[in-house]
Amino acid sequence: MHPAIYPGTFDPITNGHLDIIKKGADLFNPLIVAVAKSSMKNPMFSLNERLEMLQLATKSLDNVQCLAFEGLLCDLAKSHHCKWIIRGLRAVSDFEFEFQMGYANKSLNPTLETLFFMPTLQNAFISASVVRSILSHKGQIAHLVPPLCSNSSTKGFRCWSL
């Protein structure tokens, strides 16, 4: 099998992200889930917290590797000998941005191909921005995110559900 990368900010990881990760893990070995530093997005969770969330959510998936990265995705792909990038599409509104990013990555590395996966219908409405908004108002998010437990006590990331 060939390796693939599923990049994102994962601020925080959602059930929609996990849905795409599981689909990618069924097709690629390894699947590298790469959490981007994304300082321009001003993330709610630190890079280390987002990486920890990913590691906890994917610990049962043997062929999934989680790592943090900064810089160009095409450079990360090259360093891991990946020619496949996985991206999720929830709605038509996601397509235009992802289409442009796919071509931008291909212009930087002509061997890169982008595959688009759709989440299951039950997860299609979930976005990290919706989860962050609910969190900022101290709302319940257990039905939107994978069950996570951590020793971290920052910003409500402890045990979302058991």
Side-chain angles (χ1 to χ4, degrees), residues 48-67:
N48 287 337
E49 287 172 321
R50 291 180 280 137
L51 181 59
E52 183 181 359
M53 286 185 236
L54 280 167
Q55 290 168 333
L56 289 168
T58 62
K59 66 183 173 188
S60 66
L61 303 171
D62 294 334
N63 63 325
V64 172
Q65 301 171 5
C66 300
L67 56 84

Side-chain angles (χ1 to χ4, degrees), residues 63-121:
N63 63 325
V64 172
Q65 301 171 5
C66 300
L67 56 84
F69 81 102
E70 182 176 9
L72 293 173
L73 178 59
C74 64
D75 294 338
L76 179 68
K78 185 176 182 179
S79 71
H80 288 275
H81 309 288
C82 293
K83 70 173 195 172
W84 301 101
I85 297 172
I86 293 174
R87 298 297 295 161
L89 295 176
R90 292 177 311 242
V92 173
S93 57
D94 291 341
F95 181 75
E96 186 174 347
F97 174 77
E98 295 297 345
F99 187 75
Q100 289 174 333
M101 291 305 299
Y103 277 128
N105 283 320
K106 187 127 179 109
S107 76
L108 295 168
N109 180 345
T111 66
L112 281 177
E113 295 291 341
T114 302
L115 296 175
F116 300 106
F117 291 171
M118 299 183 318
T120 59
L121 188 57

